[in-house]
Amino acid sequence: MVLFTKFERKDYTIFVELRDKTMNREKAIEKIKALTSNLNRHNYLYYVKAMPEIPDQEFDMLLKELEKLEKEYDFRLPDSPTFRVGGDLTKDFETRKHGTPMLSLGNTYSEGELIDFLKRVEKNISTTPEFVCELKYDGVAISLTYENGILDHALTRGDGIQGDDVTMNVKTIKSIPLRLQGNFPESFEIRGEIIMPHSSFNRLNEERTTQGLQLFANPRNAAAGSLKMQDSAEVAKRGLDCFLYFVQGENLPGDNHYDNLRAAATWGFNVPNTISRCKTIEEIMEFINLWDQGRHELEYDIDGVVIKVNDYQQQKLLGFTAKTPRWAIAYKFKAEQVSTILDSVSFQVGRTGSITPVANLKPVLLAGTTVKRASLHNMDFIESFNLHLSDRVFVEKGGEIIPKIVGVDTATRKDNAERVTFPELCPECKTPLTRKEGEANHYCPNEEGCPPQIKGKLEHFISRKAMNIESLGEGKIEMLFDSGLVRNAADLYDLTFDKLNGLEKTIIHDGKEPRKVSLREKSANAILESLEKSRKVPFARVLYALGIRYVGETVARKLAVHYKTMDALKMATIMELILVDEIGERIAESVTDWFSNAEHLEIIERLKNHGIQMELLSEESSEEENILEGKTFVVSGVFTHFSRDEIKEAIIKFGGKSAGSISGNTDFVVAGEKMGPSKFEKANKLGIPIISEGEFLEMIRKTED
Ligand code: IVH
């Protein structure tokens, strides 16, 4: 017997099957297929077309039914809409090579620069170019690969050569089709931008406020953070969206960008209908001005306009530089400015003791968000504006998170206005501040006794790139500090289950009742487990985790490779240190200063006794030399400073591979003068970056600090 529940609508009636005792596997699979296809269609109508045909409850009921059948019969199609709700956990995202490198775009900021771009394009092609103008969506780049109409994998940009496989998370984004419709090519890649609409962003930050979690600074950061979450069910709740802007593959229907994007829209992709074909600079500027004005009406952030040569033949002729296509360019909108009143200035203490003055402003709306604070950087910055309290100041928001003060209206300043001065004592622990000669920042020297410095150092120690102690975060560090259990990194390793279990903290939110939270058994065990795991963290990262001023990741790696053990580094003098490649006086002095402090030496000793890595393991020592690992180069042409063989030797020395001919596996072509035209043509065809001798040298010299 089959039971149905009936929904009567004006134009139609639907029946939802409740229970079917005659259901067998074969029938169930048929049903799963039908439900999958039906739900995917409704999903597309709702999220891409914004024209739903059935009410939300009906959709949810059908989805629940599918979910139940999939579980019962252990059968799920790769495009099942149940992937949309997530649930799969990803421990570490696997990296995967891009079919062709994911490049970025050159930037322009004025009509003049844009005219130069147009001239460069025209000079290099014989036919008149047509351009496609698109919005520059401010989110996270994504590459989606479809095989036979099914989403096969989704990769982040990563370093452009390889990215993280975030397929499970991407499948939860409802506007990304899991199965295509219409007449699509068998195999192709489509790239676009994952964005977080303002409505999702505001909702997320409201939730985080009530949970006492740190807020995301902007929708871009929130989208990036969401995409890398380990729990796809959480990603599903984040309300992400995706706009597509680039198709590539063998059998695309059109011979130009615009037609293929339009075709992609018919396959089910969310291709914004804001894209427009333009021929002249006037038309392009009209598009730019339209969106410069209109961007605030959009439900998502854009930071400019992208202008692309439409025709593929012309694109091919123009080719690529090392990092960007020569056939496309971004026009970035100017940062917006508003004026507001400077109410007061607070002085924040960072983990290294540096004091950052922060302007508290009368709240003002700027580029869609309310601005209340702006960084004032240091004393020189304050003095350069001769800032006074109650001044009318001009605030700008560029690409960066924190808005900046770019000017002050002295004409409206009152005669009795109070000048902003720098404090002499630390605002947190009242220790007299110091300022080294030639340095812009003031510091609180009370490293061991100043609370924000202690907490900041601990937060740095546990951070992902340092000891990666995942189960501890800002809130738990605060808890451990307030309880008096932890004052330095070594104290973390003295923690026991009994000390952690039941630990309490009071959370106070503006205008709300204080709330007590306590640490449960599960968290206590997780903390102990991740501390245990951190004993395996390599020496270079341990060195970075110590938080020595100016010792960033790259410097830490250099020092670890050179000195090999903490004991050897401890003994190093300034003179020895500055002989190490790329270590200057400033770093050398900071390192020797740090090791001359008895308390630091004690922490090191205790960490060592707790089994933290204090020596470079043999496989790590080659890390520095292996910066080209996994990359294949083809060297062609005549060079200015080195012979071709010397360049090939350098590639091998730094862990890369040197190949004779260009293929799909080639990552870079190092080109000198007189590079063969066939090689040039092939590299362009495959979208392989062609780099100069200088760019190659930059690559092997590259530092991250
Ligand atoms: S085209 C080779 N089009 O901007 C083609 N990119 O600053 C490269 N972006 O990495 C990309 N909107 O993440 C293109 N309409 C658009 C875009 C766009 C945003 C992002 C993309 C790219 C970055 C470059």
Side-chain angles (χ1 to χ4, degrees):
M1 233 272 283
V2 186
L3 289 178
F4 291 97
T5 180
K6 191 169 145 191
F7 290 92
E8 286 193 1
R9 296 283 165 259
K10 207 167 106 224
D11 307 321
Y12 61 95
T13 304
I14 67 158
F15 293 92
V16 175
E17 206 172 299
L18 286 181
R19 186 157 43 94
D20 181 356
K21 288 196 174 147
T22 64
M23 186 72 95
N24 58 26
R25 186 169 173 80
E26 206 179 309
K27 265 194 181 175
I29 287 178
E30 279 314 304
K31 181 87 204 179
I32 288 174
K33 284 183 182 164
L35 279 168
T36 300
S37 142
N38 194 18
L39 283 163
N40 279 343
R41 182 175 160 268
H42 287 302
N43 198 66
Y44 169 72
L45 289 173
Y46 187 95
Y47 287 102
V48 180
K49 288 275 167 197
M51 282 190 309
E53 275 180 10
I54 57 168
D56 292 0
Q57 302 118 286
E58 285 178 29
F59 184 93
D60 290 344
M61 281 191 68
L62 294 172
L63 188 66
K64 280 217 175 77
E65 191 189 355
L66 174 63
E67 220 168 0
K68 194 167 151 266
L69 283 172
E70 283 180 343
K71 252 197 207 122
E72 206 169 316
Y73 291 91
D74 194 21
F75 182 85
R76 195 186 196 188
L77 291 165
D79 62 329
S80 169
T82 57
F83 280 111
R84 305 293 199 190
V85 279
D88 297 274
L89 292 180
T90 314
K91 196 85 194 88
D92 294 304
F93 294 102
E94 276 184 26
T95 49
R96 195 169 165 154
K97 213 170 150 204
H98 293 295
T100 55
M102 266 180 103
L103 303 178
S104 81
L105 293 167
N107 287 329
T108 54
Y109 298 88
S110 65
E111 184 173 351
E113 284 177 291
L114 212 53
I115 293 175
D116 290 345
F117 166 73
L118 261 61
K119 279 191 188 143
R120 275 200 306 276
V121 166
E122 276 162 16
K123 210 177 107 198
N124 283 290
I125 55 176
S126 46
T127 41
T128 321
E130 179 185 54
F131 298 94
V132 178
C133 291
E134 298 167 14
L135 302 184
K136 190 170 183 306
Y137 320 105
D138 197 6
V140 189
I142 193 80
S143 147
L144 310 171
T145 299
Y146 285 79
E147 301 291 348
N148 299 310
I150 302 283
L151 173 63
D152 187 73
H153 59 271
L155 302 182
T156 61
R157 182 168 187 273
D159 61 4
I161 304 296
Q162 52 184 23
D164 284 335
D165 187 327
V166 287
T167 313
M168 279 307 164
N169 287 348
V170 160
K171 281 190 172 181
T172 69
I173 302 174
K174 310 228 181 30
S175 59
I176 294 182
L178 302 179
R179 180 189 289 271
L180 304 180
Q181 56 198 34
N183 207 3
F184 48 81
E186 193 178 295
S187 168
F188 70 97
E189 188 198 347
I190 186 158
R191 292 180 184 174
E193 201 84 352
I194 290 184
I195 56 111
M196 186 176 278
H198 293 152
S199 52
S200 310
F201 175 71
N202 295 336
R203 193 188 58 220
L204 175 63
N205 265 355
E206 272 163 30
E207 275 167 22
R208 292 177 76 86
T209 310
T210 53
Q211 290 161 354
L213 296 172
Q214 204 178 354
L215 302 188
F216 283 109
N218 54 40
R220 186 193 337 113
N221 288 8
S226 303
L227 203 58
K228 289 293 188 68
M229 289 174 84
Q230 292 182 334
D231 184 354
S232 61
E234 281 305 309
V235 185
K237 294 182 199 151
R238 292 276 172 106
L240 297 170
D241 205 339
C242 180
F243 297 127
L244 286 312
Y245 51 63
F246 181 71
V247 200
Q248 66 180 355
E250 287 286 305
N251 295 313
L252 299 181
D255 61 1
N256 65 71
H257 172 66
Y258 186 86
D259 287 348
N260 282 331
L261 271 192
R262 289 266 68 100
T266 68
W267 307 331
F269 290 105
N270 197 6
V271 177
N273 47 21
T274 45
I275 63 172
S276 169
R277 281 172 293 188
C278 298
K279 284 237 157 70
T280 61
I281 181 72
E282 288 77 22
E283 285 171 8
I284 294 175
M285 284 316 294
E286 199 182 323
F287 184 92
I288 289 173
N289 293 331
L290 177 76
W291 287 107
D292 197 359
Q293 302 292 320
R295 61 181 148 140
H296 308 301
E297 314 298 322
L298 290 169
E299 230 305 83
Y300 48 87
D301 284 352
I302 60 169
D303 59 346
V305 159
V306 182
I307 299 108
K308 299 174 182 171
V309 170
N310 191 22
D311 184 84
Y312 285 161
Q313 279 295 334
Q314 292 176 345
Q315 284 190 5
K316 210 164 109 184
L317 277 170
L318 289 156
F320 298 86
T321 70
K323 293 192 190 112
T324 59
R326 287 198 180 91
W327 45 262
I329 203 142
Y331 177 98
K332 298 283 280 275
F333 292 139
K334 272 194 199 65
E336 270 190 282
Q337 253 188 31
V338 284
S339 80
T340 185
I341 302 294
L342 173 68
D343 273 343
S344 62
V345 176
S346 343
F347 294 86
Q348 292 179 344
V349 188
R351 81 171 152 88
T352 57
S354 74
I355 311 289
T356 310
V358 177
N360 300 309
L361 308 165
K362 260 213 174 33
V364 61
L365 203 65
L366 174 62
T369 49
T370 306
V371 174
K372 294 185 204 138
R373 290 146 77 77
S375 171
L376 293 172
H377 306 286
N378 51 46
M379 187 158 92
D380 294 343
F381 187 89
I382 294 177
E383 285 181 351
S384 70
F385 286 112
N386 185 21
L387 277 184
H388 285 61
L389 294 181
S390 303
D391 269 352
R392 178 161 286 279
V393 289
F394 298 97
V395 189
E396 204 176 271
K397 206 164 166 197
E400 55 290 296
I401 300 154
I402 306 164
K404 34 178 200 218
I405 292 194
V406 290
V408 53
D409 181 3
T410 46
T412 54
R413 181 179 293 154
K414 299 222 171 65
D415 287 344
N416 58 353
E418 189 189 328
R419 202 162 169 241
V420 177
T421 52
F422 219 84
E424 286 177 3
L425 303 180
C426 171
E428 298 280 344
C429 70
K430 308 292 173 237
T431 305
L433 299 180
T434 57
R435 190 190 200 191
K436 275 198 188 150
E437 248 203 57
E439 281 201 12
N441 282 2
H442 281 75
Y443 286 92
C444 165
N446 183 17
E447 262 192 69
E448 275 82 29
C450 183
Q453 289 194 58
I454 302 173
K455 285 187 268 185
K457 283 198 180 71
L458 288 166
E459 277 159 25
H460 172 74
F461 186 81
I462 61 159
S463 63
R464 197 170 56 83
K465 289 181 175 174
M467 302 302 278
N468 192 22
I469 303 173
E470 279 173 351
S471 49
L472 284 176
E474 210 179 302
K476 299 221 174 74
I477 288 293
E478 177 124 20
M479 207 175 206
L480 293 170
F481 175 82
D482 290 347
S483 64
L485 279 174
V486 175
R487 284 285 177 274
N488 60 47
D491 293 342
L492 287 172
Y493 295 90
D494 288 337
L495 291 171
T496 59
F497 180 80
D498 290 338
K499 284 184 193 170
L500 287 168
N501 191 22
L503 209 61
E504 282 195 339
K505 177 182 159 187
T506 309
I507 300 182
I508 305 168
H509 280 307
D510 289 349
K512 294 214 176 100
E513 282 287 299
R515 195 159 56 90
K516 268 203 173 145
V517 287
S518 64
L519 209 117
R520 311 262 156 131
E521 247 173 62
K522 206 170 144 203
S523 299
N525 280 327
I527 293 173
L528 294 173
E529 208 174 286
S530 49
L531 281 164
E532 178 61 39
K533 229 168 78 185
S534 75
R535 293 195 163 95
K536 294 209 175 69
V537 166
F539 174 48
R541 274 172 51 196
V542 173
L543 197 51
Y544 167 67
L546 295 177
I548 305 171
R549 195 181 302 165
Y550 309 129
V551 180
E553 279 175 278
T554 312
V555 170
R557 221 178 301 136
K558 289 243 177 279
L559 291 173
V561 169
H562 187 90
Y563 284 96
K564 310 231 166 3
T565 70
M566 191 69 90
D567 284 338
L569 178 64
K570 209 157 67 181
M571 307 305 289
T573 62
I574 294 189
M575 288 314 281
E576 282 164 15
L577 278 159
I578 52 179
L579 292 177
V580 180
D581 186 28
E582 283 183 48
I583 306 293
E585 212 173 310
R586 196 178 62 141
I587 302 174
E589 207 179 304
S590 169
V591 171
T592 50
D593 263 8
W594 199 90
F595 283 105
S596 67
N597 182 323
E599 298 195 35
H600 293 161
L601 296 180
E602 195 204 314
I603 293 173
I604 296 280
E605 214 37 49
R606 284 174 59 207
L607 287 173
K608 189 175 176 179
N609 294 336
H610 279 296
I612 305 301
Q613 301 290 328
M614 294 290 162
E615 287 180 13
L616 195 76
L617 301 174
S618 54
E619 63 266 30
E620 273 176 81
S621 54
S622 55
E623 198 182 328
E624 182 57 26
E625 276 86 30
N626 275 349
I627 50 172
L628 302 184
E629 195 173 10
K631 304 213 164 92
T632 303
F633 292 75
V634 171
V635 186
S636 176
V638 183
F639 299 90
T640 328
H641 302 291
F642 297 95
S643 71
R644 204 167 357 188
D645 282 339
E646 279 171 330
I647 294 196
K648 286 183 184 168
E649 267 168 36
I651 291 168
I652 292 158
K653 178 166 173 250
F654 286 93
K657 263 196 216 146
S658 162
S661 62
I662 298 173
S663 72
N665 292 330
T666 312
D667 293 299
F668 293 97
V669 175
V670 191
E673 267 178 56
K674 303 198 188 100
M675 169 185 176
S678 62
K679 279 207 170 112
F680 186 79
E681 170 85 26
K682 190 154 183 198
N684 267 340
K685 191 169 160 227
L686 294 171
I688 297 164
I690 301 175
I691 60 170
S692 66
E693 182 181 12
E695 284 168 322
F696 171 72
L697 294 177
E698 264 309 302
M699 211 178 223
I700 55 180
R701 224 185 277 137
K702 202 175 139 215
T703 55
E704 291 160 41
D705 281 348

